[in-house]
Amino acid sequence: IENSQDCRSLGDVIRNSNFLFHSNYAIKALVEKLVELKPRMGSRDISGLLNVLSKSRVPKSSKSVHDKLMSTLAELSLDKFHLFQARDISMMLNALARRNIDNQKVFNMAGDSAVEILDEFNPLDIAQMMNAFARMEHWHEAVFEHVAQTAIPILPGFSAQGIANTANAFAKSGQKHPDLFDEIAQTSISMIHNFNAQGLANTVNAFAKMEHNHTKLFDAVAEAALPLIDTFKPQELAITVNAFAKVGHVHPQLFEAVGKAAVPILGSFTTQNLANTVQAFSKNEHEDGALFHAVANIAIARLKEFNAQDVANTLNAFANAGHYHPALFEKTAEAAIPMMNTFNTQELANTAMSYAKVQHHHPDLFDQLAKASIKSMDQFNPHDVSNLATAYSLMGYAQPVLMDQMAKVSLPILKEFTNYQLAETALAYSAMADIHHSHFLLVAIDDEMERRFGPMNKS
């Protein structure tokens, strides 16, 4: 380190020193050398040093020092961005994102500078920069807007990974650019066999997040995935089928292959991936008894790891798919009761509805669902009210306080109910008319139906 005459030679030392950050003496020498070289640092010096530092081996004891060093080094760019080239900007941001170093000033100014010279960015620069913005959740609107236009004519020059990362960045930002996604789809199809499992999964996941169902792309991804299915990791299997289910794209061969690949490795799935996988099969109405049976057994053994969303989604998937597993529903109820205060309104309503659909009686669970629902009643929406009222009606559980509270919260938002939700809510309250005091809700629903359909057609 002390013999380094410039940033390039110092970078070589850092690159070749696997244990630099294990030594306080070496760290001190590095800091002193960076201070010495600071006046002579150019844009490529800063981005290059950040790049090699981001790839260093750093023990936990030195992480804070390493992160501070990188952040401080990055801030040297703030008064030099007018000298930065495209490669410098993408390399620097990618280095910071690799180490999860969130320096808002640097990202904002880098984004401003990138917009000014975006026509100088090549496909790799764009893909790396967009991946960095997405990883750090910096949604620089001008960058995304300009990249959406600039990237289209040069998409054929992107690598498969670059395309997947760019699509994923836009999906995470929530900024919709249909023309860009159409071009990404066409380019991806033309080079689909260059994608690995991760790229295939991430690409369809991005399209699903954007609710952009490009039929030809999804078909191409499915066909490319089939011979690679044994290389998919658990998360990639879950993400892929979840994306297909989210956009309603049916591909039986893919789901059959995923089911067969998933069963032997279900123990490696996270609880979220277990829930998302069976939910995807349920949404796509793909029958796979072996998968559901295996997931049920794994879930029972790992219920302590499940959070409220995992519980609600898993039960919902089994109920909607018609896979009734008594032990799963019984054990899940026991696990859910102590964590009921962590359920949001949708999870409360969906859990109740799942038990009602399979007619699995558990009075203690429904008592706790009622108590938790009453506490958060002001957050209920039409979907929650309709599902929860229907569930208690189907199960025949008398909860007059709950029913009255739901009626009161429903009155001001009746116009937001769909026709189906109005009908289901009316049926539930009619069936339980002897245990609640909310007949005013039935009258209000009747008036709302008459407003929508007229007196002759409201039934």
Side-chain angles (χ1 to χ4, degrees), residues 74 84 225 260 290 326 348 390 435:
F84 271 55
K260 289 180 179 177
L348 291 168
T390 299
I435 64 97

Side-chain angles (χ1 to χ4, degrees), residues 71-83:
S71 187
T72 302
L73 184 59
E75 289 189 1
L76 296 180
S77 65
L78 293 178
D79 60 352
K80 299 181 180 181
F81 269 123
H82 62 287
L83 301 174

Side-chain angles (χ1 to χ4, degrees), residues 37-300:
L37 295 174
K38 177 183 173 181
R40 290 182 278 150
M41 284 188 189
S43 58
R44 187 56 54 90
D45 295 325
I46 295 171
S47 60
L49 285 171
L50 285 169
N51 185 49
V52 293
L53 283 168
S54 71
K55 298 175 182 178
S56 299
R57 293 184 181 180
V58 183
K60 289 182 179 180
S61 58
S62 299
K63 184 180 185 305
S64 61
V65 174
H66 176 268
D67 290 357
K68 178 65 175 177
L69 184 62
M70 284 192 63
S71 187
T72 302
L73 184 59
E75 289 189 1
L76 296 180
S77 65
L78 293 178
D79 60 352
K80 299 181 180 181
F81 269 123
H82 62 287
L83 301 174
F84 271 55
Q85 298 177 353
R87 185 63 184 141
D88 301 323
I89 293 174
S90 67
M91 189 188 303
M92 178 179 66
L93 296 184
N94 194 49
L96 294 174
R98 183 181 291 126
R99 285 293 184 177
N100 199 33
I101 297 171
D102 188 4
N103 190 311
Q104 190 168 355
K105 289 190 296 184
V106 171
F107 270 84
N108 285 343
M109 289 195 68
D112 293 341
S113 297
V115 169
E116 297 296 324
I117 60 170
L118 203 53
D119 58 341
E120 299 176 14
F121 278 63
N122 63 32
L124 177 62
D125 295 331
I126 289 178
Q128 287 191 341
M129 178 177 69
M130 300 312 291
N131 185 52
F133 273 102
R135 286 178 66 174
M136 301 311 298
E137 298 185 356
H138 280 290
W139 314 126
H140 194 297
E141 290 188 16
V143 169
F144 280 81
E145 185 67 34
H146 283 76
V147 167
Q149 301 169 20
T150 303
I152 289 177
I154 61 173
L155 276 175
F158 278 62
S159 66
Q161 182 180 354
I163 288 177
N165 286 347
T166 302
N168 183 59
F170 275 87
K172 288 184 72 175
S173 77
Q175 299 181 38
K176 292 189 175 183
H177 292 277
D179 291 343
L180 172 63
F181 269 70
D182 282 338
E183 291 299 324
I184 286 177
Q186 293 296 339
T187 304
S188 299
I189 292 170
S190 69
M191 56 188 296
I192 200 68
H193 294 294
N194 293 338
F195 282 70
N196 59 17
Q198 183 182 30
L200 293 171
N202 286 346
T203 300
V204 289
N205 186 48
F207 275 74
K209 283 183 178 178
M210 300 301 284
E211 299 178 349
H212 195 106
N213 184 9
H214 194 288
T215 303
K216 291 183 179 179
L217 172 65
F218 275 78
D219 282 339
V221 167
E223 294 304 317
L226 289 174
L228 300 176
I229 206 69
D230 289 335
T231 69
F232 276 63
K233 296 176 182 176
Q235 183 175 6
E236 292 158 1
L237 292 172
I239 285 175
T240 301
V241 291
N242 194 52
F244 273 73
K246 190 169 184 178
V247 300
H249 193 95
V250 177
H251 198 289
Q253 294 92 337
L254 174 65
F255 274 69
E256 182 179 351
V258 169
K260 289 180 179 177
V263 169
I265 59 172
L266 282 176
S268 301
F269 277 56
T270 64
T271 55
Q272 182 181 9
N273 288 337
L274 287 172
N276 287 347
T277 300
V278 287
Q279 194 170 47
F281 275 72
S282 176
K283 284 182 179 178
N284 252 23
E285 299 181 359
H286 189 92
E287 176 68 28
D288 194 324
L291 173 67
F292 275 80
H293 183 75
V295 168
N297 290 334
I298 292 286
I300 290 171

Side-chain angles (χ1 to χ4, degrees), residues 336-410:
I337 289 173
M339 55 189 282
M340 195 61 64
N341 64 335
T342 67
F343 280 59
N344 63 31
T345 57
Q346 183 180 11
E347 291 157 358
L348 291 168
N350 285 352
T351 298
M353 194 62 178
S354 297
Y355 278 82
K357 282 182 178 179
V358 299
Q359 284 293 292
H360 187 102
H361 287 265
H362 200 292
D364 289 344
L365 173 67
F366 274 78
D367 283 345
Q368 295 303 316
L369 285 168
K371 291 178 182 178
S373 297
I374 291 169
K375 287 181 180 179
S376 55
M377 189 54 62
D378 60 332
Q379 300 171 37
F380 269 61
N381 60 33
H383 175 272
D384 303 331
V385 170
S386 174
N387 267 2
L388 197 61
T390 299
Y392 277 84
S393 173
L394 289 173
M395 298 301 285
Y397 288 139
Q399 288 286 347
V401 176
L402 173 65
M403 298 298 285
D404 289 341
Q405 289 290 324
M406 279 197 293
K408 290 177 182 177
V409 81
S410 297

Side-chain angles (χ1 to χ4, degrees), residues 14-35:
I14 297 171
R15 184 182 295 107
N16 297 318
S17 302
N18 291 331
F19 301 102
L20 188 158
F21 285 92
H22 289 69
S23 165
N24 290 333
Y25 294 107
I27 294 172
K28 183 175 181 291
L30 176 60
V31 171
E32 290 174 351
K33 180 57 66 173
L34 288 172
V35 170

